[in-house]
């Protein structure tokens, strides 16, 4: 079946979700806001303009400046791939990241909205040459939305845009990265007061240091995503069907792509999933979030190897409790994540989960060593608010490979395959532990300051992998970030 037909087929099949959703109205609606008059964004310029003249009520004019300092030891080693936790001659790298965004939104009438956003991302003093965090003067968003959900349930949005669903575990904008992610997409939403369903087709946009950012025409991503708060009134229930159809990337093109977005090998992978999340204040301090996905289809490790049958899955579950009537509102939580791996590389079946297009940072630790592929982790978290605008958090993680017959995958989804890393079925599966300390200060509605420190205690799998390659080393990470919206 041609690749351009497969996404359409999965969309048509998934439309059955639309008619199976609970249609009972509920008091708190979740109507779309992207075709309502632009809400005042938390930015000084927007606030000031709307105060000066009511005519600016249909405009959204502003932007963001974000500056971050990072210090890394024994990972992100300059000019060495797959050298995490490895003793090397140059084991440290400190650098500054700067990102500026400027946007313009306009609502000429209640059923048309136009939006554009430019971005510039730059790194300074990065020992990696070239730095993977540069993308200058790029068009990050440019879309038109047609429709008014308050008047008619169908709304369309076409152009370069963000796709954000759930916790961004599988579909997100990777905002922590210096240049983030957007998509060239067409999206149709059907929406009532009790549920919404999105159908979309898209291509991820790839940064290009030498020219205009273009989307990856070899990587098609489409799906149906539905959400309701009436099926079980204390929670949001979500269901989705996703399709990723990727053909071979030309060698010259693949070599030019940034390390954060390594081109995927050929595949036709279909994902069926569900997610539930408790609603705020619905359970008297308790909260929960769970998600499960099963994947099937076809996978190739390269264009020269036979196709393998895809059969993989991932699960996520977290529960917590917040003492809201206690000083500093302490919260504790316990979380578990599992992404399947491939137990046999020669049996014609591929069991490594495809992590799709996530916003990875912080989901499995702030050092971002892992993607949800051949990985399981246990996460214990705690936080307090010593004063209202300040949050202090401590997080501890323990990590294992799901199977040692597969690779230890990086945060960008690439396999660690050199410098001692590879497939080692006889090694222990325990990868290590990470301890994170973070502090966030919301200085104002338009400005925030955040800092963090993390230490990774390398485990048995890393030790055995690097025994003959200089030995293992624990890794450290520190950062400070200032965000200002104008």
């Amino acid at each position: 079946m041609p690749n351009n037909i497969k996404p359409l087929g999965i969309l048509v099949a998934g439309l059955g979700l639309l008619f199976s959703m609970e249609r009972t109205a509920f008091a708190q609606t979740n109507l779309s806001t992207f075709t309502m008059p632009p809400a005042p964004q938390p930015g000084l310029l927007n606030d000031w303009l709307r105060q000066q003249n009511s005519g600016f009520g249909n405009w959204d004019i502003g932007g963001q400046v974000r500056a971050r300092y990072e210090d890394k030891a024994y990972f992100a080693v300059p000019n060495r791939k797959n050298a995490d936790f490895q003793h090397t001659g140059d084991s440290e790298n400190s650098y500054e990241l700067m990102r500026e965004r400027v946007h313009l939104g306009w609502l000429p009438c209640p059923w048309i909205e136009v939006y554009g956003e430019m971005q510039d991302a730059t790194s300074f003093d990065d020992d990696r040459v070239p730095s993977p965090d540069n993308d200058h003067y790029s068009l990050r968003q440019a879309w038109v939305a047609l429709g008014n959900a308050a008047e008619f349930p169908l709304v369309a949005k076409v152009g370069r845009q963000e796709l954000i669903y759930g916790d961004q575990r599988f579909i997100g904008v990777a905002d922590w990265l210096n240049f983030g992610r957007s998509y060239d997409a067409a999206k149709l939403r059907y929406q009532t007061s009790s549920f919404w369903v999105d159908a979309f087709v898209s291509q991820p946009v790839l940064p290009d240091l030498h020219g205009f950012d273009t989307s990856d025409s070899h990587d098609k991503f489409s799906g149906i995503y539905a959400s309701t708060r009436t099926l079980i009134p204390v929670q949001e229930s979500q269901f989705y069907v996703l399709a990723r159809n990727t053909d071979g990337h030309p060698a010259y093109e693949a070599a030019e792509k940034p390390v954060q977005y390594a081109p995927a090998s050929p595949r036709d992978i279909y994902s069926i999933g569900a997610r539930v999340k408790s609603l705020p204040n619905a359970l008297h301090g308790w909260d929960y979030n769970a998600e499960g996905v099963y994947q099937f289809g076809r996978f190739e490790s390269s264009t020269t190897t036979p196709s393998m049958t895809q059969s993989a899955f991932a699960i996520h579950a977290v529960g917590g409790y917040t003492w809201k009537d206690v000083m500093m509102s302490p919260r504790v939580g316990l979380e578990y994540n599992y992404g399947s791996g491939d137990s046999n590389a020669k049996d014609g079946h591929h069991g490594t989960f495809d992590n799709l297009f996530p916003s990875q940072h912080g989901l499995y630790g702030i050092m971002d060593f892992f993607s949800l592929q051949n990985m399981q982790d246990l996460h214990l978290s705690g936080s307090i608010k010593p004063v209202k605008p300040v949050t202090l958090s401590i997080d501890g993680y323990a990590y294992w490979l799901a199977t040692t017959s597969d690779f230890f995958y990086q945060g960008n989804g690439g396999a660690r395959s050199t410098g001692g890393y590879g497939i080692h079925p006889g090694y222990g599966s325990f990868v290590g532990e990470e301890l994170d300390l973070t502090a966030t200060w919301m200085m104002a509605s338009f400005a925030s300051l955040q800092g963090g420190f993390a230490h990774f205690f390398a485990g048995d799998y890393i030790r055995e992998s690097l025994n003959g390659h200089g030995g293992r080393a624990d890794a450290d990470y520190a950062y400070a970030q200032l965000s200002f919206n104008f």
Side-chain angles (χ1 to χ4, degrees):
M1 182 181 296
N3 276 351
N4 61 340
I5 299 298
K6 292 175 182 175
L8 297 178
I10 201 71
L11 289 180
V12 172
L15 280 173
L17 286 170
L18 174 61
F19 303 104
S20 65
M21 301 298 292
E22 177 65 49
R23 298 181 63 93
T24 305
F26 62 104
Q28 181 180 359
T29 65
N30 60 339
L31 291 176
S32 170
T33 59
F34 66 67
T35 53
M36 302 296 185
Q41 298 297 311
L44 289 179
L45 181 59
N46 254 340
D47 293 345
W48 182 82
L49 288 174
R50 294 175 190 227
Q51 290 171 3
Q52 302 306 307
N53 192 314
S54 61
F56 285 104
N58 287 342
W59 291 86
D60 179 6
I61 305 171
Q64 183 193 73
V65 176
R66 192 182 76 177
R68 185 165 74 234
Y69 170 80
E70 295 189 347
D71 182 80
K72 299 178 178 179
Y74 295 106
F75 74 107
V77 176
N79 306 318
R80 292 286 301 278
K81 293 183 178 180
N82 299 331
D84 294 340
F85 315 110
Q86 190 174 27
H87 282 289
T88 65
D90 186 1
S91 62
E92 296 188 4
N93 191 12
S94 301
Y95 50 88
E96 300 82 39
L97 302 175
M98 181 68 73
R99 186 180 77 189
E100 303 89 20
R101 290 176 176 172
V102 178
H103 67 255
L104 175 64
W106 181 41
L107 192 80
C109 65
W111 53 275
I112 297 178
E113 185 176 358
V114 182
Y115 189 89
E117 182 179 51
M118 297 294 295
Q119 174 179 276
D120 184 76
T122 308
S123 66
F124 304 92
D125 301 321
D126 191 348
D127 291 339
R128 297 168 295 178
V129 180
S131 172
D133 289 302
N134 292 320
D135 185 30
H136 299 306
Y137 311 116
S138 60
L139 179 65
R140 184 173 182 273
Q141 294 193 76
W143 51 260
V144 176
L146 302 175
N148 185 342
E151 301 293 336
F152 187 75
L154 281 177
V155 178
K157 187 175 180 180
V158 180
R160 184 161 297 184
Q161 59 188 277
E162 296 179 336
L163 293 179
I164 296 176
Y165 292 98
D167 299 323
Q168 303 189 57
R169 197 168 301 275
F170 308 119
I171 309 173
V173 294
D175 190 60
W176 182 258
L177 296 181
N178 207 33
F179 43 72
R181 180 192 292 121
S182 58
Y183 306 78
D184 285 341
K187 180 170 69 175
L188 182 67
R189 169 168 290 193
Y190 183 90
Q191 186 167 294
T192 72
S193 60
S194 58
F195 74 93
W196 55 260
V197 180
D198 280 359
F200 67 87
V201 293
S202 72
Q203 297 176 170
V205 176
L206 297 179
D208 187 345
L209 268 179
H210 308 293
F212 183 78
D213 289 356
T214 58
S215 56
D216 188 351
S217 61
H218 302 280
D219 203 347
K220 304 291 194 302
F221 183 48
S222 56
I224 299 285
Y225 202 106
S227 181
T228 179
R229 294 185 177 184
T230 62
L231 189 63
I232 300 176
V234 298
Q235 71 178 31
E236 185 164 19
S237 304
Q238 300 183 329
F239 310 92
Y240 50 88
V241 182
L242 307 172
R244 186 178 191 182
N245 305 100
T246 309
D247 56 25
H249 291 78
Y252 73 89
E253 183 180 84
E256 295 175 351
K257 301 308 176 187
V259 66
Q260 287 94 332
Y261 295 154
S265 61
R267 64 194 68 189
D268 293 301
I269 291 180
Y270 305 94
S271 305
I272 300 176
R275 172 180 178 266
V276 296
K277 181 180 177 62
S278 58
L279 297 177
N281 304 315
L283 298 173
H284 308 290
W286 292 97
D287 63 81
Y288 63 85
N289 190 346
E291 190 163 7
V293 188
Y294 174 70
Q295 291 181 336
F296 61 95
R298 176 193 68 90
F299 176 88
E300 293 182 23
S301 59
S302 72
T303 56
T304 58
T305 59
S307 295
M308 295 180 282
T309 300
Q310 176 81 2
S311 180
F313 69 96
I315 57 175
H316 158 75
V318 60
Y321 185 80
T322 302
W323 286 266
K324 296 186 178 181
D325 298 326
V326 174
M327 184 181 299
M328 297 191 292
S329 302
R331 181 190 182 276
V332 295
L334 182 64
E335 178 178 348
Y336 177 73
N337 296 290
Y338 184 96
S340 63
D342 190 25
S343 59
N344 187 339
K346 299 180 181 180
D347 64 356
H349 299 280
H350 186 253
T352 307
F353 185 76
D354 186 336
N355 208 32
L356 302 178
F357 302 96
S359 293
Q360 200 87 287
H361 177 73
L363 293 180
Y364 317 110
I366 65 172
M367 300 179 83
D368 297 324
F369 282 128
F370 296 86
S371 56
L372 197 58
Q373 299 171 270
N374 192 36
M375 181 273 280
Q376 58 179 326
D377 83 304
L378 193 63
H379 170 204
L380 181 63
S381 62
S383 66
I384 58 173
K385 294 180 178 292
V387 293
K388 188 175 182 179
V390 175
T391 301
L392 304 178
S393 302
I394 181 169
D395 297 87
Y397 300 81
Y399 307 93
W400 296 263
L401 296 186
T403 172
T404 54
S405 296
D406 199 353
F407 292 101
F408 172 19
Y409 290 90
Q410 303 174 77
N412 69 352
R416 291 178 171 88
S417 58
T418 63
Y421 291 112
I423 295 178
H424 305 300
Y427 289 5
S429 63
F430 181 61
V431 180
E433 299 166 314
E434 181 176 322
L435 179 65
D436 298 346
L437 304 172
T438 58
T440 303
W441 176 24
M442 295 302 300
M443 297 182 290
S445 61
F446 51 83
S448 66
L449 179 64
Q450 186 179 79
F453 173 79
H455 182 84
F456 193 97
F457 303 87
D460 293 340
Y461 182 84
I462 295 173
R463 175 180 56 81
E464 294 176 80
S465 297
L466 300 181
N467 266 345
H469 296 267
R472 70 171 178 181
D474 290 352
D476 290 305
Y477 175 53
Y479 75 91
Q481 175 175 282
L482 175 66
S483 297
F484 179 83
N485 295 327
F486 62 87

